[in-house]
Amino acid sequence: GASTEDEVLGRLLVDELVAAQRDGVMTVPVLETIIRTRLNGEPLADLAAEQSISPQLLCHRRWRAEVRLRDLPLAG
């Protein structure tokens, strides 16, 4: 079903994100931000409060990391 496909896609995405972090494309906090906001659906404002930064700054950091991810060659 769709949920199984979503789980597989989610795992693939997490693996690629972790590999990108390991390869120096992004920092661990940005990796966590992408996973928690994009995959887990947590509000960006909550994570910004945890990190003691503005939601705008966190959004900008996430956006920059996502742009770098798009520029990477796709795995496989």
Side-chain angles (χ1 to χ4, degrees):
S3 64
T4 302
E5 291 169 8
D6 289 347
E7 287 174 24
V8 170
L9 286 173
R11 258 198 309 279
L12 285 173
L13 180 60
V14 169
D15 288 347
E16 288 186 348
L17 290 170
V18 170
Q21 185 276 316
R22 186 186 60 231
D23 295 343
V25 175
M26 71 182 80
T27 63
V28 171
V30 174
L31 169 68
E32 289 179 353
T33 297
I34 292 172
I35 291 173
R36 290 175 63 184
T37 60
R38 297 292 193 204
L39 300 179
N40 297 349
E42 293 183 47
L44 194 72
D46 291 359
L47 273 72
E50 275 181 29
Q51 298 178 28
S52 302
I53 60 174
S54 72
Q56 293 83 2
L57 178 57
L58 190 58
C59 186
H60 184 69
R61 287 179 181 170
R62 182 181 68 183
W63 176 82
R64 282 196 335 242
E66 289 171 344
V67 167
R68 288 193 302 272
L69 285 172
R70 281 195 292 275
D71 291 340
L72 293 178
L74 291 176

